[in-house]
Every structure is written in C-alpha cells, then in structure tokens.
C-alpha cells in the first residue's frame, strides 16, 4: 500500500502517530515523517490514521494487482 501525506496541509496534530506509530512519527514538534510504502499487515492502522487526521492530509492508495488483471481480461 502507498501513503501520500500533503505536508502543506498537515498541521502536526499527530493523530496519525498515535494510530499507527510504526508508520508515522514526528521529528521535532512539527515535521511529520512517514513510510510511503507500507505492508498490508499495517492496513487497518493506516486507514484509522487517515480517518483520524483532522485536516484529511493523508491519502492511502491500495495497490491491488488483481484489479488490474481483471480489467485486462475484459
């Protein structure tokens, strides 16, 4: 899964850090660090973190190869 955070929109409320500390971290008081590619094992935590963001700065893109294959089969 791929994560993109709009760092211009992020206000460092750190709700994502509380929800998925393996993926998100604050560097200092305002700089958000995150892993752009995350294993599916962290999917639930990442989705909760994205939903908890008060400014909706987190986008989650699930890379689903089966979907691409089925589209090509048509």
């Amino acid at each position: 899964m791929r994560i993109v955070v709009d760092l211009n929109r992020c206000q460092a409320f750190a709700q994502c850090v509380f929800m998925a500390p393996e993926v998100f971290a604050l560097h200092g008081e305002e700089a958000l660090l995150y892993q752009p590619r995350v294993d599916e094992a962290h999917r639930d935590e990442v989705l909760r973190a994205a939903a908890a963001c008060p400014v909706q700065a987190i986008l989650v893109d699930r890379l689903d190869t089966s979907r691409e294959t089925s589209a090509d089969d048509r």
Side-chain angles (χ1 to χ4, degrees), residues 17 28 33 37 46 50 60 66 73:
V17 177
L33 303 175
R37 296 229 181 237
V46 169
V60 179
S66 65
D73 291 340

Side-chain angles (χ1 to χ4, degrees), residues 3 5 8 11 15 27 31-32 35 39 42 45-46 72:
I3 300 171
V5 177
N8 291 320
Q11 298 293 308
Q15 296 303 309
H27 180 69
L32 180 69
Q35 296 178 25
D39 189 80
H42 296 292
E45 293 90 3
V46 169
D72 291 340

Side-chain angles (χ1 to χ4, degrees), residues 2-72:
R2 184 174 59 129
I3 300 171
V4 178
V5 177
D6 183 344
L7 296 174
N8 291 320
R9 181 179 279 193
C10 177
Q11 298 293 308
F13 289 113
Q15 296 303 309
C16 58
V17 177
F18 297 119
M19 301 302 275
E22 311 84 23
V23 179
F24 300 96
L26 278 182
H27 180 69
E29 293 184 18
E30 296 184 8
L32 180 69
L33 303 175
Y34 66 98
Q35 296 178 25
R37 296 229 181 237
V38 181
D39 189 80
E40 285 292 320
H42 296 292
R43 182 177 60 111
D44 291 339
E45 293 90 3
V46 169
L47 292 176
R48 280 190 227 122
C53 180
V55 295
Q56 300 298 296
I58 303 169
L59 296 172
V60 179
D61 182 18
R62 288 184 275 195
L63 303 174
D64 186 2
T65 56
S66 65
R67 204 187 244 175
E68 292 174 20
T69 304
S70 64
D72 291 340

